[in-house]
Amino acid sequence: MAKGDNIIQLVNMGKTFHTSSGDVLALDDINLDIKEGSVQGIIGLSGAGKSTLVRCINYLEIPTSGKVIFEGKSLGDLSDREVREARRNMGMIFQQFNLLDQRNLLANVTFPLEIAGEDKKKAKERALELLRLVGLEDRYKNYPAQLSGGQKQRVAIARALATNPKVLLCDEATSALDPKTTAQILELLKKINQELGVTVIVITHQMSVIEAICDSVAIIDHSHIAESGPVSEVFNNPKTEIGKRLILGDGDADSVKPVIFGESSNSKIRIVFDGHSAHQPILADLILSCKVPVNILFANTKEVEGQAVGQMIIELPDNREDADKITQYLRSNNIIFEEVD
Amino acid sequence: MDAASISMYLEETWATIYMTLISSAISYLIGIPLGVVLVVTDKDGIAPCSSVHTVLGVIINIFRSIPFLILLVMVLPLTKLLVGTTLGPKAIIPPLIIASAPYIGRMVESSLKEVSSGVIEAAKSMGASNWQIIYKVLIPEAKPSLLVGAAICITTILSYSAMAGFVGGGGLGAIALNYGYYRYKTDIMMVAVVVLVVLVQIIQEIWMRLSRATDKRVRN
């Protein structure tokens, strides 16, 4: 299978949980193609269904409708044994690391190989090689209790890669870590994607995680995919309410409402700076040429897919004529903007 | 205390240890699978099966609710069939096993339930079969807790074994009952009880140390 082909396809996938208090619809009509070698982000508020979605990909949860196609084969058509073999091609890491507390680091990393019936000596060599990759080879005799959270996640990553999987599923893998450690783990995931060609699927509620490493993103809201596409596209021009909330917010889906908006009833516009316009002094030029003062309510710049992109929310003046001057200036300079409320 | 009494105490202490260890070993051989079946067939288990879970649970509860002394008498015919006698330390082993295996099953169940569902999920995500999850994840990860449970179970079996005296079973309980209680020799009874207390202390201590020494969650 070549880079760029779809390694995973979710086709009309749905999942309903039957509970004593009635049926709960967790996912409905999910369609998503994930390209081999890409980093796919899946973001949503807590309870949106993203954790169920990632568990459907490796059949830890069996979808109640639709299909999961992995490397051209529908997992629903496979026997239990074949599903277990398919899972060896999909490593998974978790928010709570889920290491085996009673095994040392080496034995944790050899565990999936042991399960696969791999030769012990080969398994040990492979495990040491992976511990080296994550920078913990000298700690191989230590136990998980002796490690920090970031180190535990590194071991979990080494363990997930032991069977040479094609896909790495990350379920809120950085949510229990501090920002500095998060950045290091994301760096490691990016390295694994680029150097080993492993397709990485990242489940998160933090926009910052998506911006840091993902190529594509799917936004999950109320059991549906609200929108999906390349990160820069979705970021520059979010089409849905939930997309706007996630991007305009402080990047954390659980604290969505940005605090920037004042009491003013004047109309506001959101200006998006893509990779090109970020280098021009757009706002300064705008003020100079329109001779109208503007009030900046919110601004930030982030690196998305290696490009500097930013957004700014400005308040338009009361005067209708002045406001029109500004919008005309933006339009004539091909600057992306939209009215927000 | 004369030499005859001392040798009697030694002999009956040995009988008590013998009854306890043999019964514990066989009870664990039955109790571990019982506990495993209870955990895996639970509704959150790796192979949910509510009918098996419920039926097994009820059977275990029935055996656990029969007072040991009554059980001892009830199973006499079975004892005769299995070990060929209803007298002596051997005769107490079958009822001890019948009483303690279900108890151990519950202890094992509660220890295995302490293993986090996340770790089991991780094993599943690596393609582990249910059988591999049981013997490579559930039991090894629950080991410290299983050892603490064993300290409780073995000391309970030891105290049950003391009731063997009522059916001519021998052991320290028989001394306390036959020499001490029925013949009004309080000192003999007290010595037997003290030896029992010491045995319980030793077993408890050994297993707790074993649990602590093997638990890798403790930073050393």
Side-chain angles (χ1 to χ4, degrees):
Chain A
M1 185 170 276
K3 192 179 162 101
D5 285 354
N6 290 328
I7 188 163
I8 291 166
Q9 289 170 284
L10 307 179
V11 185
N12 303 326
M13 193 186 79
K15 172 78 185 176
T16 304
F17 288 105
H18 305 284
T19 68
S20 51
S21 51
D23 287 358
V24 178
L25 182 71
L27 292 171
D28 189 28
D29 198 26
I30 300 289
N31 287 287
L32 188 63
D33 293 341
I34 298 167
K35 288 195 168 42
E36 167 119 49
S38 68
V39 182
Q40 170 75 49
I42 294 169
I43 186 168
L45 309 180
S46 42
K50 55 193 192 300
S51 275
T52 307
L53 196 157
V54 73
R55 279 163 181 73
C56 284
I57 293 176
N58 63 0
Y59 254 50
L60 284 179
E61 293 288 358
I62 296 170
T64 40
S65 63
K67 278 183 191 174
V68 177
I69 297 169
F70 175 62
E71 295 193 296
K73 272 184 265 178
S74 170
L75 293 182
D77 296 339
L78 304 181
S79 67
D80 285 357
R81 194 196 179 87
E82 289 168 323
V83 167
R84 289 203 300 273
E85 270 156 25
R87 281 180 189 153
R88 284 174 198 153
N89 277 317
M90 293 190 260
M92 187 168 185
I93 58 171
F94 305 85
Q95 181 173 3
Q96 294 306 328
F97 324 122
N98 294 341
L99 296 176
L100 295 150
D101 288 333
Q102 305 296 336
R103 285 177 167 238
N104 65 23
L105 304 196
L106 183 72
N108 260 288
V109 181
T110 57
F111 183 72
L113 298 166
E114 226 176 283
I115 282 172
E118 188 72 52
D119 174 69
K120 268 192 182 155
K121 206 171 148 237
K122 271 191 198 154
K124 192 182 166 184
E125 279 169 20
R126 172 85 182 133
L128 287 172
E129 182 189 317
L130 285 163
L131 285 170
R132 199 171 309 129
L133 176 78
V134 301
L136 286 167
E137 83 256 54
D138 51 335
R139 305 283 303 268
Y140 74 94
K141 279 186 177 166
N142 284 165
Y143 286 88
Q146 295 164 301
L147 303 182
S148 68
Q151 289 170 327
K152 283 183 194 172
Q153 197 60 289
R154 284 169 184 273
V155 176
I157 290 170
R159 182 176 70 172
L161 294 175
T163 49
N164 267 317
K166 300 205 169 98
V167 176
L168 181 61
L169 306 171
C170 311
D171 183 21
E172 295 279 8
T174 57
S175 299
L177 305 173
D178 61 64
K180 196 177 158 220
T181 316
T182 295
Q184 290 167 348
I185 294 292
L186 293 176
E187 199 57 45
L188 179 61
L189 291 175
K190 203 167 192 172
K191 180 175 154 189
I192 286 160
N193 170 253
Q194 286 169 350
E195 290 178 15
L196 307 178
V198 175
T199 307
V200 178
I201 299 173
V202 176
I203 302 290
T204 183
H205 64 280
Q206 293 169 307
M207 198 61 201
S208 56
V209 170
I210 303 284
E211 286 160 4
I213 61 168
C214 295
D215 307 318
S216 314
V217 62
I219 300 176
I220 307 281
D221 186 36
H222 293 100
S223 316
H224 291 83
I225 291 187
E227 61 181 299
S228 66
V231 174
S232 52
E233 224 169 77
V234 174
F235 184 89
N236 287 340
N237 189 18
K239 292 182 186 70
T240 57
E241 190 57 32
I242 182 74
K244 284 174 190 165
R245 277 167 69 186
L246 285 166
I247 289 155
L248 292 177
D250 59 3
D252 189 329
D254 281 339
S255 54
V256 278
K257 271 285 168 194
V259 286
I260 42 155
F261 301 115
E263 300 284 306
S264 161
S265 58
N266 290 355
S267 52
K268 304 168 190 80
I269 57 170
R270 171 175 176 264
I271 303 174
V272 177
F273 307 97
D274 58 19
H276 314 288
S277 56
H279 301 291
Q280 296 164 4
I282 290 170
L283 202 68
D285 288 349
L286 181 146
I287 296 165
L288 287 173
S289 81
C290 301
K291 313 243 169 7
V292 173
V294 294
N295 186 17
I296 302 170
L297 296 170
F298 172 84
N300 74 347
T301 309
K302 296 170 180 176
E303 194 188 298
V304 174
E305 294 174 35
Q307 286 195 313
V309 298
Q311 56 180 339
M312 186 179 284
I313 291 169
I314 59 172
E315 187 184 13
L316 295 177
D318 266 341
N319 185 327
R320 183 84 214 168
E321 211 173 298
D322 286 350
D324 286 346
K325 248 192 224 170
I326 290 177
T327 51
Q328 256 162 30
Y329 175 86
L330 290 171
R331 228 171 265 131
S332 64
N333 283 277
N334 291 324
I335 292 158
I336 310 159
F337 73 98
E338 58 176 345
E339 280 208 31
V340 291
D341 41 41
Chain B
M1 208 184 287
D2 55 53
S5 312
I6 290 174
S7 86
M8 178 184 76
Y9 274 114
L10 283 176
E11 199 176 306
E12 297 307 322
T13 302
W14 171 244
T16 294
I17 294 172
Y18 168 82
M19 288 187 287
T20 305
L21 292 186
I22 300 278
S23 309
S24 300
I26 299 172
S27 300
Y28 259 93
L29 285 180
I30 303 167
I32 289 177
L34 285 181
V36 167
V37 171
L38 282 173
V39 171
V40 302
T41 58
D42 194 12
K43 64 180 192 312
D44 308 317
I46 52 176
C49 180
S50 65
S51 53
V52 172
H53 186 80
T54 311
V55 170
L56 191 63
V58 169
I59 293 172
I60 283 175
N61 287 348
I62 290 172
F63 275 97
R64 285 182 54 215
S65 45
I66 303 171
F68 182 61
L69 217 51
I70 309 290
L71 185 86
L72 202 60
V73 181
M74 270 169 62
V75 299
L76 278 176
L78 183 70
T79 305
K80 175 100 185 162
L81 196 76
L82 286 174
V83 295
T85 175
T86 57
L87 291 173
K90 246 201 237 172
I92 194 82
I93 291 173
L96 267 181
I97 293 166
I98 294 168
S100 47
Y103 182 71
I104 289 170
R106 286 292 186 201
M107 291 297 274
V108 170
E109 180 192 19
S110 94
S111 290
L112 297 183
K113 276 194 163 172
E114 286 171 26
V115 177
S116 91
S117 57
V119 173
I120 294 163
E121 190 179 42
K124 271 194 203 168
S125 78
M126 295 170 211
S129 64
N130 285 347
W131 181 241
Q132 286 172 321
I133 290 173
I134 292 167
Y135 80 99
K136 282 185 184 291
V137 179
L138 277 178
I139 295 175
E141 287 294 301
K143 195 171 74 176
S145 171
L146 286 169
L147 287 169
V148 172
I152 298 168
C153 290
I154 296 170
T155 50
T156 304
I157 291 170
L158 181 87
S159 71
Y160 276 2
S161 81
M163 290 187 215
F166 281 106
V167 293
L172 289 165
I175 298 186
L177 194 72
N178 299 334
Y179 294 82
Y181 183 69
Y182 291 140
R183 297 183 196 169
Y184 304 108
K185 289 190 178 166
T186 316
D187 52 338
I188 290 186
M189 187 167 82
M190 287 314 292
V191 171
V193 169
V194 167
V195 176
L196 279 171
V197 168
V198 170
L199 281 179
V200 168
Q201 290 291 342
I202 291 171
I203 291 170
Q204 182 75 30
E205 193 59 23
I206 288 174
W207 260 264
M208 292 308 281
R209 272 171 196 243
L210 219 53
S211 170
R212 239 173 289 139
T214 57
D215 192 352
K216 309 300 184 195
R217 287 171 299 181
V218 185
R219 285 168 189 253
N220 293 314

